[in-house]
Amino acid sequence: MNNEFYKNLEKSVSNERLSHYFTIFQTEDKKIIIRKYLLNIELSKSFYLPLQKLETTLRNNIHTTLSNQLKNDNWFEISDFLTNDSYKKISEAKNNINKELTPGRIISELNFGFWCALFSKPYDQKVWNKYTKLIFPNIPRKYATRKVLMKKTNLIRKFRNKIFHFDTIINIKNLFEIHKEILEMIYWLNKDVYKLTIAFDEFEYIYNNEEKIIKEKLDELSKDNQ
């Protein structure tokens, strides 16, 4: 990689962000750093589909189940059903919608944090003791508890936030385990969505073929700049 090409790439990234990679990988080799930086982007991209399918499928399963069981598409407006914080998020979601306030639009506007909050203790009796198998039709019995599901969703939520805040994930040691957790939860929610996700999933290929994916492209681009 020629120096001019690297300098031009460096201008598009903050020195602070790149220095983070110097610290992680204990090297000042600029070729390695830029490859690791780009690999982090590729790995983050590979998680977009699994995270998106998990979030939308979880949201829709909960909404469909509660709408049917409570016989109310606006179940999120039932008095004393949600916590005060959740009602606040419903209100914020409504304020962000510039169209007719339909249940579908309100549900779509709610972020992943709202749905993860439904796994907290106040919803033990209202939701999980009654409807776990309806929301997660393929979940093994030993995992079908609110506490287990809360632990898994919070792990995924924190990881998701790192992805969507363009944070570093390449240094996370249990990336494979997190990837597995996401796919597993998708399977518990919907087998067909799981099949679709794994058909397009590229995480392992990207992780295991760093040199092929990153180095060859950079070397070719570097030649073009000579």
Side-chain angles (χ1 to χ4, degrees), residues 41-50 179 201-203 206:
I41 294 174
E42 290 297 312
L43 285 171
S44 297
K45 283 165 54 180
S46 75
F47 274 99
Y48 179 80
L49 176 65
H179 179 253
D201 185 44
E202 296 184 337
F203 165 72
I206 292 171

Side-chain angles (χ1 to χ4, degrees), residues 10-28:
E10 190 175 22
K11 289 177 183 178
S12 71
V13 190
S14 68
N15 290 329
E16 289 77 12
R17 186 172 291 273
L18 284 180
S19 66
H20 181 52
Y21 286 82
F22 285 118
T23 302
I24 292 173
F25 296 104
Q26 294 293 299
T27 180
E28 295 186 3

Side-chain angles (χ1 to χ4, degrees), residues 2-223:
N2 63 59
N3 290 333
E4 182 182 357
F5 182 64
Y6 175 80
K7 287 178 181 178
N8 287 334
L9 291 177
E10 190 175 22
K11 289 177 183 178
S12 71
V13 190
S14 68
N15 290 329
E16 289 77 12
R17 186 172 291 273
L18 284 180
S19 66
H20 181 52
Y21 286 82
F22 285 118
T23 302
I24 292 173
F25 296 104
Q26 294 293 299
T27 180
E28 295 186 3
D29 188 322
K30 292 182 177 180
K31 290 182 180 181
I32 293 176
I33 294 302
I34 201 66
R35 287 172 189 162
K36 296 298 185 183
Y37 170 75
L38 292 170
L39 178 61
N40 188 76
I41 294 174
E42 290 297 312
L43 285 171
S44 297
K45 283 165 54 180
S46 75
F47 274 99
Y48 179 80
L49 176 65
L51 286 169
Q52 192 265 353
K53 298 319 295 179
L54 171 61
E55 184 169 345
T56 57
T57 309
L58 176 64
R59 177 187 75 200
N60 292 334
N61 278 23
I62 292 175
H63 176 55
T64 299
T65 297
L66 294 182
S67 294
N68 291 340
Q69 296 302 311
L70 301 176
K71 302 186 187 311
N72 189 343
D73 288 346
N74 293 293
W75 55 268
F76 44 84
E77 293 185 342
I78 296 174
S79 179
D80 295 327
F81 186 75
L82 300 176
T83 62
N84 289 336
D85 185 59
S86 292
Y87 282 123
K88 181 180 178 181
K89 290 181 178 179
I90 294 292
S91 179
E92 291 171 353
K94 290 179 178 180
N95 290 334
N96 291 332
I97 299 171
N98 296 319
K99 301 178 181 179
E100 180 185 354
L101 291 176
T102 63
R105 287 185 178 132
I106 295 169
I107 289 301
S108 296
E109 186 65 29
L110 294 165
N111 62 28
F112 193 48
F114 173 87
W115 303 103
C116 290
L118 293 183
F119 290 91
S120 59
K121 191 172 182 180
Y123 300 102
D124 234 343
Q125 300 297 325
K126 295 176 180 178
V127 179
W128 303 109
N129 285 357
K130 299 176 181 179
Y131 311 130
T132 298
K133 285 294 289 184
L134 293 174
I135 296 170
F136 292 91
N138 308 310
I139 190 171
R141 180 174 296 180
K142 65 178 179 178
Y143 299 121
T145 69
R146 180 193 60 79
K147 288 184 178 180
V148 169
L149 291 168
M150 181 178 68
K151 182 178 179 180
K152 287 180 177 291
T153 52
N154 280 331
L155 169 71
I156 294 170
R157 177 183 58 81
K158 291 175 182 178
F159 178 74
R160 174 199 177 279
N161 288 344
K162 290 179 74 69
I163 294 284
F164 286 93
H165 286 94
F166 312 117
D167 208 342
T168 310
I169 66 167
I170 194 173
N171 58 324
I172 296 177
K173 294 181 180 179
N174 63 332
L175 267 185
F176 275 89
E177 184 61 31
I178 294 173
H179 179 253
K180 179 184 175 183
E181 294 272 357
I182 295 169
L183 293 180
E184 184 176 60
M185 186 164 279
I186 293 172
Y187 179 83
W188 292 350
L189 289 161
N190 188 308
K191 290 181 181 179
D192 289 326
V193 174
Y194 170 80
K195 290 177 183 177
L196 173 71
T197 305
I198 61 173
F200 288 91
D201 185 44
E202 296 184 337
F203 165 72
E204 290 191 25
Y205 173 76
I206 292 171
Y207 194 92
N208 293 325
N209 293 277
E210 169 191 352
E211 291 299 311
K212 180 179 179 180
I213 295 171
I214 305 297
K215 183 178 180 300
E216 290 181 3
K217 288 183 179 181
L218 280 177
D219 287 348
E220 191 63 32
L221 287 170
S222 180
K223 290 177 184 177

